[in-house]
Amino acid sequence: MYRILGNRSGGTVRPGEGAPIDPARGTIPNAARQQTRSVDLAPRGGQPDASMSPPQAVPPDLSRQVRSQSSEIQAHAAEVYQTTATTRELRPTRDELLALESGQEEAERTQQAQRAQRAQLIHSALRKGGGVMERLKDRAARHHPTTLAKRLHRRLNGLPKPMVDGKRRKAFEALVRADVVALEKSGEMVSELAAHTMRAAVMDGTVGEGILPQDRKLLLDVLGQLGIDRFYRRLNLKITSDTMPAFSNIQLMEKAKSMGSGKINTVFAVKLRKPDGSAFDGVFKPLRRTEHGKVAAAIGIPHDDPQTAMRNIATVSYAKKLGFDVIADTRLALIDTGDDTGTKLGLIMERARGKPPAKMDASDLTRPDVCAEVTKLQLLDHLTGQGDRHGKNYFINIEPNGRAKVIGIDNDQCFGKDLIDPAGIQRIIGDKSCPFRGAGLPPVVDTEMERAINALTSIDIRWMLGDKLNEAEIQAAIARHQGVKIHIAHLRTNGMVIEPTQWGEPNVQQLLNAQNSYVGLRIERALAKQARRLANQANASMRPRSPLPPLANLHQSYAPRLSDEIQEHAAEANQPQRQQEAERSQRAHSSMPGEWHSQLFRQEPAERAQLMHSALRE
């Protein structure tokens, strides 16, 4: 088996051309193995098993069948990638053509609305188009007089002289700046954005009709030097309706405050005034010209042209298309962060409420709505190839209506051209060289997720990503989507597509583990942390130890996973006491019998932690 990653030339790594990987580290095969450990996929009486009864042992022939299905997903992803790489003209269906036409009409309506809004703003701020337009129209009239008065004016003043350089150029630039300042004040925008708005109006013909071609070119050049173009040229970023700044310094209500720096970026807390006058608490992250992330390098994002803004905006578009409300709405902004570098172009998003799952208790993570929403985020990451989803870059909040809200942030390292396997984002426990932090494909989805992903077409993906990513990245996105669809089809065959109301059932939640689920990983870590905290409290208080519960109450498949987690945390902490606890836990779990099945998952989280705490103390 081989990890399906495209090479730098846009092809794929085939068997015999790349280094073989250990099956235990495979992406989709590993996910399939984890599924077979937890659930009997054999249908009953030839029909999918919808009863969700406690899993039984999986026979060897069925395990081989699941691995064969997983290999089919990999092979199909490679085939889709090859097909889209060699054939750009797809054969869309009638429905796909109608959807494409509808999208084009929507884009045209948006452009018309933006043009009308721009025209209204300029006409209200600049009477008769402003001083620049009066000057340039006068020059055009002298060059092509149409009335007796204009011919006389031309005879008295002569033909208009070039303004390429010298005093005439400086006087013209001053006139342009005066109009930009007037537009800035009227539209409550920074001067760079005002200059860009004026330039866009000249280009679409809102203003400047009838002026000389050489004067039009000069005006566009001057406005380009004054406008936002320089920020975009520095980042090699296209100016589109999606990348236009949504906020700027003019809306700043307070000075930007640094929230600290991560391994790659520095972020700032900003308070901005929205158009309706209300306050917007946001997070601003300046864009960089280079990308140093390990995941980015692994999935084929260029180091010197990462297009971080487009990847974040593409993720937002993908989530909206699926109806998965699990990504922070991300736009661009021009903000002065208060240092010597001045105004910067960066990403702006609303500050996420709630807590990251790394700081939550297991009782909150086992909520049915949390399991469902986090699984949506996981599926989206498989589709976008987001391999850097760790426990601190998504947040979970319980809203006033009692529903859980999940929001993913920092969607920089995704949509790489070299990742076509949707399960390729899986973190390999124990392999420090693996840059990925995700999980294998989920062992269960609900009908709403199935419907949303199956309704998406290759035409939809091209239309959605066409102005944001390059062709190779779009091809990889189509291949990942096909791989997820095949995985969901296998889940449907094996009775693992549930109703949205079933996420709270114990025999559903026990399928989620650290290898195949974001939720399962966070629950296991939360329980391990809670067990260590109880052990530390008991040691500190020197209380007599209570008798151990029967070891038959502990799950044989959960024990080694918990042991791995405890060992990992102990190694990270590098503390002798924790190392000793990990060793004791290893000995305790290695001797656990295997009769326990779903009993542990049916306990309350606090009771589960107490059971593990007791095992740690042995």
Side-chain angles (χ1 to χ4, degrees), residues 511-544:
L511 301 176
L512 311 177
N513 58 48
Q515 285 73 39
N516 61 27
S517 168
Y518 289 178
V519 176
L521 172 63
R522 301 327 314 182
I523 289 175
E524 290 188 10
R525 289 197 171 184
L527 289 172
K529 185 186 297 184
Q530 192 171 353
R532 288 195 304 272
R533 186 168 58 246
L534 290 172
N536 291 337
Q537 291 174 356
N539 291 335
S541 62
M542 299 297 293
R543 283 183 251 177

Short mmCIF file of all heavy atoms in Angstrom, two decimals, residues 511-544:
data_model
loop_
_atom_site.label_atom_id
_atom_site.label_comp_id
_atom_site.label_asym_id
_atom_site.label_seq_id
_atom_site.Cartn_x
_atom_site.Cartn_y
_atom_site.Cartn_z
N LEU A 511 -17.73 4.03 18.95
CA LEU A 511 -17.01 3.88 17.69
C LEU A 511 -15.94 4.94 17.51
O LEU A 511 -15.02 4.78 16.70
CB LEU A 511 -17.99 3.95 16.52
CG LEU A 511 -19.13 2.94 16.47
CD1 LEU A 511 -20.03 3.23 15.29
CD2 LEU A 511 -18.59 1.52 16.39
N LEU A 512 -16.08 6.06 18.23
CA LEU A 512 -15.18 7.20 18.04
C LEU A 512 -13.95 7.04 18.91
O LEU A 512 -14.04 7.01 20.13
CB LEU A 512 -15.92 8.50 18.39
CG LEU A 512 -17.31 8.68 17.76
CD1 LEU A 512 -17.96 9.97 18.26
CD2 LEU A 512 -17.22 8.68 16.24
N ASN A 513 -12.78 6.95 18.28
CA ASN A 513 -11.55 6.80 19.05
C ASN A 513 -10.51 7.79 18.53
O ASN A 513 -10.76 8.56 17.61
CB ASN A 513 -11.05 5.36 19.01
CG ASN A 513 -10.80 4.86 17.60
OD1 ASN A 513 -10.16 5.54 16.80
ND2 ASN A 513 -11.31 3.67 17.28
N ALA A 514 -9.32 7.72 19.10
CA ALA A 514 -8.28 8.69 18.78
C ALA A 514 -7.76 8.54 17.36
O ALA A 514 -7.17 9.49 16.83
CB ALA A 514 -7.12 8.55 19.77
N GLN A 515 -7.97 7.40 16.74
CA GLN A 515 -7.45 7.20 15.39
C GLN A 515 -8.42 7.65 14.30
O GLN A 515 -8.00 8.03 13.21
CB GLN A 515 -7.12 5.71 15.17
CG GLN A 515 -5.85 5.25 15.86
CD GLN A 515 -6.02 5.12 17.36
OE1 GLN A 515 -7.06 4.67 17.83
NE2 GLN A 515 -5.02 5.50 18.11
N ASN A 516 -9.74 7.61 14.58
CA ASN A 516 -10.69 7.89 13.51
C ASN A 516 -11.60 9.08 13.78
O ASN A 516 -12.52 9.35 13.00
CB ASN A 516 -11.56 6.65 13.22
CG ASN A 516 -12.38 6.21 14.44
OD1 ASN A 516 -12.72 7.01 15.31
ND2 ASN A 516 -12.68 4.92 14.51
N SER A 517 -11.39 9.80 14.87
CA SER A 517 -12.35 10.84 15.23
C SER A 517 -11.69 11.95 16.03
O SER A 517 -10.92 11.69 16.96
CB SER A 517 -13.49 10.22 16.06
OG SER A 517 -14.29 11.22 16.65
N TYR A 518 -11.99 13.21 15.67
CA TYR A 518 -11.54 14.33 16.49
C TYR A 518 -12.15 14.24 17.89
O TYR A 518 -11.49 14.49 18.89
CB TYR A 518 -11.99 15.66 15.86
CG TYR A 518 -11.26 16.05 14.59
CD1 TYR A 518 -11.61 17.21 13.91
CD2 TYR A 518 -10.23 15.28 14.07
CE1 TYR A 518 -10.96 17.61 12.76
CE2 TYR A 518 -9.57 15.65 12.91
CZ TYR A 518 -9.94 16.82 12.25
OH TYR A 518 -9.29 17.21 11.12
N VAL A 519 -13.43 13.88 17.95
CA VAL A 519 -14.11 13.78 19.24
C VAL A 519 -13.48 12.68 20.09
O VAL A 519 -13.21 12.87 21.28
CB VAL A 519 -15.61 13.51 19.05
CG1 VAL A 519 -16.30 13.31 20.40
CG2 VAL A 519 -16.28 14.65 18.32
N GLY A 520 -13.25 11.53 19.47
CA GLY A 520 -12.66 10.42 20.22
C GLY A 520 -11.30 10.76 20.80
O GLY A 520 -10.99 10.42 21.94
N LEU A 521 -10.48 11.46 20.02
CA LEU A 521 -9.15 11.86 20.50
C LEU A 521 -9.26 12.79 21.69
O LEU A 521 -8.58 12.60 22.71
CB LEU A 521 -8.39 12.56 19.36
CG LEU A 521 -7.06 13.21 19.76
CD1 LEU A 521 -6.08 12.15 20.25
CD2 LEU A 521 -6.48 14.00 18.59
N ARG A 522 -10.13 13.80 21.61
CA ARG A 522 -10.24 14.78 22.69
C ARG A 522 -10.86 14.15 23.94
O ARG A 522 -10.47 14.48 25.07
CB ARG A 522 -11.08 15.97 22.26
CG ARG A 522 -10.63 16.78 21.08
CD ARG A 522 -9.17 16.93 20.83
NE ARG A 522 -8.32 17.26 21.97
CZ ARG A 522 -7.03 17.46 21.88
NH1 ARG A 522 -6.42 17.32 20.71
NH2 ARG A 522 -6.32 17.75 22.93
N ILE A 523 -11.81 13.22 23.77
CA ILE A 523 -12.40 12.55 24.93
C ILE A 523 -11.34 11.71 25.65
O ILE A 523 -11.23 11.76 26.89
CB ILE A 523 -13.60 11.66 24.52
CG1 ILE A 523 -14.79 12.55 24.10
CG2 ILE A 523 -14.01 10.74 25.65
CD1 ILE A 523 -15.98 11.76 23.58
N GLU A 524 -10.56 10.95 24.91
CA GLU A 524 -9.54 10.11 25.53
C GLU A 524 -8.51 10.97 26.27
O GLU A 524 -8.08 10.63 27.37
CB GLU A 524 -8.87 9.24 24.48
CG GLU A 524 -9.80 8.16 23.94
CD GLU A 524 -9.08 7.17 23.03
OE1 GLU A 524 -7.83 7.22 22.99
OE2 GLU A 524 -9.75 6.35 22.39
N ARG A 525 -8.12 12.08 25.68
CA ARG A 525 -7.14 12.93 26.35
C ARG A 525 -7.75 13.61 27.58
O ARG A 525 -7.07 13.77 28.60
CB ARG A 525 -6.62 13.98 25.38
CG ARG A 525 -5.71 13.39 24.32
CD ARG A 525 -4.88 14.44 23.64
NE ARG A 525 -3.87 13.82 22.79
CZ ARG A 525 -2.95 14.51 22.14
NH1 ARG A 525 -2.91 15.84 22.24
NH2 ARG A 525 -2.05 13.90 21.39
N ALA A 526 -9.02 14.00 27.48
CA ALA A 526 -9.67 14.63 28.64
C ALA A 526 -9.80 13.64 29.79
O ALA A 526 -9.57 13.99 30.96
CB ALA A 526 -11.04 15.17 28.24
N LEU A 527 -10.14 12.38 29.48
CA LEU A 527 -10.25 11.37 30.53
C LEU A 527 -8.89 11.06 31.14
O LEU A 527 -8.77 10.89 32.36
CB LEU A 527 -10.88 10.10 29.96
CG LEU A 527 -12.37 10.19 29.60
CD1 LEU A 527 -12.81 8.94 28.87
CD2 LEU A 527 -13.22 10.43 30.83
N ALA A 528 -7.86 10.98 30.30
CA ALA A 528 -6.52 10.72 30.82
C ALA A 528 -6.06 11.86 31.72
O ALA A 528 -5.46 11.64 32.78
CB ALA A 528 -5.54 10.53 29.66
N LYS A 529 -6.35 13.10 31.33
CA LYS A 529 -5.97 14.26 32.13
C LYS A 529 -6.72 14.25 33.46
O LYS A 529 -6.17 14.54 34.52
CB LYS A 529 -6.27 15.54 31.36
CG LYS A 529 -5.81 16.81 32.06
CD LYS A 529 -6.28 18.05 31.32
CE LYS A 529 -5.67 18.13 29.95
NZ LYS A 529 -6.05 19.40 29.27
N GLN A 530 -8.02 13.92 33.40
CA GLN A 530 -8.82 13.89 34.62
C GLN A 530 -8.32 12.78 35.57
O GLN A 530 -8.28 12.97 36.78
CB GLN A 530 -10.29 13.67 34.27
CG GLN A 530 -11.25 13.89 35.43
CD GLN A 530 -12.69 13.86 34.96
OE1 GLN A 530 -12.97 13.81 33.77
NE2 GLN A 530 -13.61 13.90 35.89
N ALA A 531 -7.92 11.65 35.00
CA ALA A 531 -7.41 10.56 35.83
C ALA A 531 -6.11 10.96 36.51
O ALA A 531 -5.90 10.66 37.69
CB ALA A 531 -7.20 9.31 34.97
N ARG A 532 -5.24 11.64 35.78
CA ARG A 532 -3.99 12.09 36.40
C ARG A 532 -4.24 13.12 37.49
O ARG A 532 -3.58 13.12 38.52
CB ARG A 532 -3.06 12.70 35.32
CG ARG A 532 -2.47 11.67 34.39
CD ARG A 532 -1.29 12.27 33.62
NE ARG A 532 -1.69 13.47 32.90
CZ ARG A 532 -2.20 13.46 31.67
NH1 ARG A 532 -2.39 12.31 31.06
NH2 ARG A 532 -2.50 14.58 31.07
N ARG A 533 -5.22 14.00 37.26
CA ARG A 533 -5.53 15.01 38.27
C ARG A 533 -6.04 14.36 39.54
O ARG A 533 -5.66 14.75 40.65
CB ARG A 533 -6.57 15.99 37.71
CG ARG A 533 -6.86 17.17 38.64
CD ARG A 533 -7.65 18.26 37.95
NE ARG A 533 -8.91 17.78 37.41
CZ ARG A 533 -9.20 17.71 36.12
NH1 ARG A 533 -8.30 18.06 35.22
NH2 ARG A 533 -10.38 17.28 35.71
N LEU A 534 -6.90 13.35 39.40
CA LEU A 534 -7.40 12.64 40.58
C LEU A 534 -6.27 11.91 41.30
O LEU A 534 -6.22 11.88 42.53
CB LEU A 534 -8.49 11.65 40.16
CG LEU A 534 -9.82 12.26 39.71
CD1 LEU A 534 -10.71 11.18 39.14
CD2 LEU A 534 -10.50 12.98 40.85
N ALA A 535 -5.34 11.34 40.52
CA ALA A 535 -4.21 10.64 41.14
C ALA A 535 -3.32 11.60 41.91
O ALA A 535 -2.87 11.30 43.02
CB ALA A 535 -3.40 9.91 40.07
N ASN A 536 -3.07 12.78 41.34
CA ASN A 536 -2.25 13.77 42.02
C ASN A 536 -2.91 14.26 43.30
O ASN A 536 -2.25 14.48 44.33
CB ASN A 536 -1.95 14.95 41.09
CG ASN A 536 -1.04 14.56 39.95
OD1 ASN A 536 -0.30 13.60 40.06
ND2 ASN A 536 -1.11 15.30 38.85
N GLN A 537 -4.24 14.46 43.24
CA GLN A 537 -4.96 14.91 44.44
C GLN A 537 -4.89 13.85 45.53
O GLN A 537 -4.71 14.17 46.71
CB GLN A 537 -6.42 15.22 44.08
CG GLN A 537 -6.59 16.45 43.20
CD GLN A 537 -8.03 16.63 42.76
OE1 GLN A 537 -8.90 15.78 43.04
NE2 GLN A 537 -8.29 17.71 42.05
N ALA A 538 -5.01 12.60 45.14
CA ALA A 538 -4.96 11.53 46.13
C ALA A 538 -3.58 11.43 46.76
O ALA A 538 -3.44 11.24 47.98
CB ALA A 538 -5.34 10.20 45.48
N ASN A 539 -2.54 11.58 45.96
CA ASN A 539 -1.18 11.52 46.49
C ASN A 539 -0.90 12.70 47.42
O ASN A 539 -0.20 12.56 48.42
CB ASN A 539 -0.17 11.51 45.34
CG ASN A 539 -0.22 10.22 44.56
OD1 ASN A 539 -0.63 9.20 45.09
ND2 ASN A 539 0.17 10.28 43.29
N ALA A 540 -1.45 13.88 47.06
CA ALA A 540 -1.20 15.06 47.88
C ALA A 540 -1.89 14.98 49.23
O ALA A 540 -1.37 15.41 50.25
CB ALA A 540 -1.65 16.32 47.13
N SER A 541 -3.09 14.43 49.24
CA SER A 541 -3.85 14.36 50.49
C SER A 541 -3.46 13.16 51.36
O SER A 541 -3.83 13.09 52.53
CB SER A 541 -5.35 14.29 50.18
OG SER A 541 -5.64 13.12 49.43
N MET A 542 -2.72 12.19 50.78
CA MET A 542 -2.27 11.00 51.51
C MET A 542 -3.43 10.24 52.11
O MET A 542 -3.36 9.69 53.20
CB MET A 542 -1.27 11.38 52.60
CG MET A 542 -0.01 12.05 52.08
SD MET A 542 0.93 10.95 50.99
CE MET A 542 1.45 9.73 52.19
N ARG A 543 -4.54 10.22 51.39
CA ARG A 543 -5.70 9.49 51.89
C ARG A 543 -5.51 7.99 51.68
O ARG A 543 -4.82 7.60 50.73
CB ARG A 543 -6.95 9.94 51.14
CG ARG A 543 -7.48 11.27 51.62
CD ARG A 543 -8.73 11.59 50.88
NE ARG A 543 -8.49 12.68 49.94
CZ ARG A 543 -9.39 13.14 49.12
NH1 ARG A 543 -10.57 12.61 49.11
NH2 ARG A 543 -9.12 14.12 48.31
N PRO A 544 -6.14 7.16 52.53
CA PRO A 544 -6.05 5.71 52.30
C PRO A 544 -6.64 5.35 50.95
O PRO A 544 -7.62 5.95 50.51
CB PRO A 544 -6.89 5.11 53.45
CG PRO A 544 -6.98 6.19 54.46
CD PRO A 544 -6.92 7.49 53.73
#
